[in-house]
Amino acid sequence: MLNKILFKQIDNSALIVFRIIFGLLCFLESVGAIFTGWVKYTLIDSKFTFNFIGLDFLQPLPTPWIYVYYIVMGIFGLGIMLGYKYRFSIIAFTVLWTSIYLTQKASYNNHYYLLCLLSGIMVFLPANTYASIDVKLNPKIKTISMPSWCKWVFVLQLFIMYTYAAVAKIYPDWLDLTVPTQLMQGKANYPIIGSGLQHPFVPYLVGYGGILYDGLIIPLLLFKPTRRLAFFGSIFFHLFNSIVFGVGIFPYLALAFSLFFFDAKIIKNLFLKKKEFYSINQIKPLNYKPYLLTIAGIYFIVQIILPIRHHFITDNVLWTEEGHRLSWRMMLRSKSGYATYKVVNKKTNKTTIVNLDHYLSRKQKRMIATKPDVIWQFAQHLKHDYKTKGQDIAVYVNAKASVNGRPYKTLIDPKVDLANAKWNVFKHNDWILPSQLDK
C-alpha cells in the first residue's frame, strides 16, 4: 500500500512547470528586494540586525557585498527556472535564502519561512529531468515520470500550513472581527480601493472567509467535483491578499501549487504540448526508500509539532510571542507599544536613558517595544556595547504594549536586569509579565 502511494510512477508535468515558476519567483523575490529598497532599509540602514537567537554568527554582509549577495541569489533562481546545474542552484539558493532569513527578524514573514522549506524540499526532487538545460547537456537524465511522493510532499506541507493558519484564527478577537476590522482600517488610505475596504461586509469576508479558505482549500482541491471552484476561489483569495496586504510572491507561489492538484494531462496539454504523457501504471520502489522515509518522517513530525509548542508555554502567545514564529500564525493580531531602556553602571551606579536612535532603525524601534525576545536581544547588545567601553552594566526596560487595541499594559518586569537574564527557548520567561488577555 505504501509503495503504491509513494512510489507509483506518475507523469511529471506538474513538477517541471512548478520548477520553472518557482525559479522565476525566486529570481523576482531576490532582485525585487534590491529595487524595492528592502535590502537597504532592513540590512543596510540598521546598525545591527536581530538574528534568530543563538545564531549571532549570521550577520549581513557590508555594502556593496549585500547587494552582490542578492544578485547571486537571483542568478541561482534563474538556474532553478532554466534547470541549469539544477542541484547546485537549488542547494545554493536554499543556503543563501535561509541564511538571510535567520539573520534578521525585523521583516519576519511566514512566507519567507515557507520559501526556506520549499527550497529545501526541492533539493530532493527530480525537477530538472525535462525542459531543462541539464537535459540538453546530459540527455540520459531525461524522463517524463516521477514517483508520486514528489506530489504528495507538497500536498502534505500545504495541508499543515493552511490547517494551522485556519485553527490559529479561531480565537475571540478574530471571531468578533476586531482584528479584521483593524486590518481594513489600516488600508483606508489606499488609492481607489481604500474606501471600498471600509464596507462593513469586508471584515466578514476577511475574517470568516479566511478561516473557511485556509481550512477547506486543500480538501476542496483534492476532491475532483470541487476542484475548479476551489481554484477560482484561490485566484480571488490570493489576488486580494496580493493587492491589499502586499505579501510579495506568496500569492503567486500559492497559485502555482494548484499544478499538483489537477490532472497531469491537463497540465501537460496547457504548458508542455510537445511532451509525451506518462500513463504506465508502474511502481518503482527506490533503493534509498528507508532513508528517504526516515528523513521525511522526521521533517513532517517537526512541522506538526512546531506550530503547537506555544500551547505548552505559560500565558498567551499573542502577548509573549513565545512560540509565535515558525507556526503559521499569519496576520492574527495588531500590537503596538513603547519602551524606555535604562542602563545602570554597576560600579558607579550612574544611570543613563538609552537614546534608541543611536542604535536602531525606525522599524527596529517598533520591535523593541512589543517583542520580548527582541527586547532581550537588545539588552544583550547594550551589555556588549558598554563592555567594549570598559563598563559592566545592568539593563532595565519599561515597556508598555497593547494587543488588538486593548489598554497598554506593562510587558516586561522593570525590576529585572535583562542584561544578565537568560533566554529560555522551550519554556516561559518569567520576566515577561502576565498578559491577562484571556480575562
Side-chain angles (χ1 to χ4, degrees):
M1 182 65 178
L2 194 60
N3 278 344
K4 185 176 181 181
I5 295 174
L6 299 179
F7 298 105
K8 176 184 175 181
Q9 292 293 301
I10 60 175
D11 186 87
N12 65 353
S13 296
L15 179 60
I16 301 304
V17 177
F18 181 79
R19 183 208 81 220
I20 295 170
I21 297 173
F22 181 77
L24 175 61
L25 292 175
C26 289
F27 167 75
L28 294 174
E29 184 70 33
S30 300
V31 299
I34 296 174
F35 291 109
T36 61
W38 187 94
V39 172
K40 182 180 185 300
Y41 65 71
T42 302
L43 301 174
I44 295 176
D45 291 349
S46 304
K47 294 182 176 65
F48 75 102
T49 59
F50 292 103
N51 52 264
F52 276 60
I53 293 175
L55 300 177
D56 296 345
F57 62 91
L58 289 176
Q59 296 295 325
L61 295 173
T63 309
W65 296 110
I66 189 62
Y67 287 118
V68 175
Y69 186 101
Y70 270 82
I71 290 170
V72 170
M73 266 203 304
I75 292 172
F76 286 130
L78 290 178
I80 297 166
M81 181 183 75
L82 299 173
Y84 177 64
K85 296 190 180 300
Y86 169 75
R87 202 68 60 190
F88 176 75
S89 294
I90 188 63
I91 291 174
F93 180 84
T94 302
V95 171
L96 292 177
W97 180 265
T98 303
S99 295
I100 208 69
Y101 171 77
L102 296 174
T103 295
Q104 62 81 32
K105 291 188 289 191
S107 293
Y108 175 82
N109 191 313
N110 276 290
H111 307 145
Y112 297 159
Y113 171 50
L114 177 63
L115 192 54
C116 294
L117 300 180
L118 293 178
S119 301
I121 289 172
M122 290 287 284
V123 168
F124 298 95
L125 302 185
N128 64 327
T129 56
Y130 193 88
S132 69
I133 295 177
D134 287 348
V135 167
K136 294 286 185 182
L137 298 176
N138 182 14
K140 291 182 180 179
I141 70 170
K142 183 178 180 179
T143 180
I144 60 172
S145 69
M146 65 181 182
S148 56
W149 65 263
C150 295
K151 165 188 173 178
W152 289 110
V153 70
F154 286 110
V155 174
L156 183 54
Q157 178 65 72
L158 291 175
F159 180 73
I160 291 172
M161 179 187 75
Y162 279 119
T163 299
Y164 277 124
V167 171
K169 291 181 176 70
I170 304 175
Y171 84 100
D173 288 0
W174 190 274
L175 295 177
D176 68 10
L177 303 180
T178 296
V179 176
T181 299
Q182 291 176 346
L183 287 173
M184 292 305 100
Q185 288 173 347
K187 314 299 179 185
N189 293 327
Y190 275 23
I192 303 175
I193 63 171
S195 59
L197 294 176
Q198 308 313 304
H199 191 281
F201 172 72
V202 176
Y204 285 92
L205 177 66
V206 172
Y208 288 95
I211 293 174
L212 291 174
Y213 179 85
D214 289 342
L216 297 177
I217 186 59
I218 299 303
L220 292 177
L221 283 172
L222 286 171
F223 189 46
K224 189 173 181 179
T226 58
R227 186 170 297 150
R228 288 182 181 273
L229 179 62
F231 176 66
F232 288 119
S234 291
I235 293 175
F236 171 80
F237 178 83
H238 289 299
L239 288 182
F240 180 88
N241 283 343
S242 179
I243 295 169
V244 176
F245 297 114
V247 286
I249 66 168
F250 174 73
Y252 310 100
L253 181 60
L255 288 174
F257 287 129
S258 301
L259 293 163
F260 294 103
F261 294 91
F262 282 93
D263 188 288
K265 200 163 191 175
I266 295 176
I267 304 303
K268 184 204 83 69
N269 291 338
L270 282 174
F271 299 102
L272 302 168
K273 297 182 184 297
K274 295 182 180 180
K275 179 179 178 291
E276 181 184 351
F277 181 70
Y278 183 86
S279 58
I280 303 172
N281 189 6
Q282 187 178 21
I283 297 175
K284 291 183 180 179
L286 304 183
N287 293 332
Y288 57 92
K289 181 176 63 173
Y291 170 76
L292 172 70
L293 292 179
T294 300
I295 295 295
I298 293 173
Y299 171 81
F300 283 112
I301 288 173
V302 171
Q303 284 298 301
I304 291 170
I305 291 175
L306 276 179
I308 62 174
R309 68 192 188 281
H310 68 88
H311 290 293
F312 301 93
I313 300 175
T314 302
D315 214 335
N316 194 316
V317 64
L318 296 172
W319 178 255
T320 69
E321 306 278 332
E322 296 166 319
H324 170 76
R325 294 186 178 89
L326 315 183
S327 62
W328 310 119
R329 301 179 58 80
M330 307 175 191
M331 294 187 293
L332 284 177
R333 46 92 173 101
S334 171
K335 199 170 184 182
S336 60
Y338 54 91
T340 301
Y341 285 71
K342 182 175 68 174
V343 168
V344 178
N345 187 307
K346 291 184 177 181
K347 185 176 181 179
T348 64
N349 285 325
K350 180 182 178 181
T351 297
T352 304
I353 301 299
V354 177
N355 186 340
L356 300 179
D357 292 330
H358 290 169
Y359 292 92
L360 304 170
S361 66
R362 182 184 303 176
K363 192 168 189 176
Q364 287 177 323
K365 283 191 289 185
R366 292 197 296 267
M367 293 177 63
I368 54 91
T370 59
K371 302 182 185 302
D373 61 326
V374 176
I375 292 172
W376 178 84
Q377 281 182 282
F378 185 52
Q380 299 304 304
H381 179 74
L382 290 173
K383 177 182 179 180
H384 175 75
D385 182 52
Y386 275 80
K387 186 176 181 180
T388 62
K389 302 172 185 176
Q391 299 184 45
D392 184 19
I393 64 166
V395 178
Y396 300 96
V397 180
N398 182 16
K400 306 285 186 180
S402 167
V403 176
N404 298 338
R406 289 180 174 85
Y408 284 88
K409 293 184 179 181
T410 304
L411 176 61
I412 304 298
D413 189 340
K415 298 178 181 178
V416 172
D417 173 15
L418 289 188
N420 293 285
K422 301 296 182 182
W423 175 258
N424 295 311
V425 177
F426 300 109
K427 62 179 183 178
H428 178 60
N429 292 274
D430 292 335
W431 43 264
I432 305 174
L433 294 178
S435 66
Q436 300 181 343
L437 293 182
D438 299 323
K439 295 183 180 181

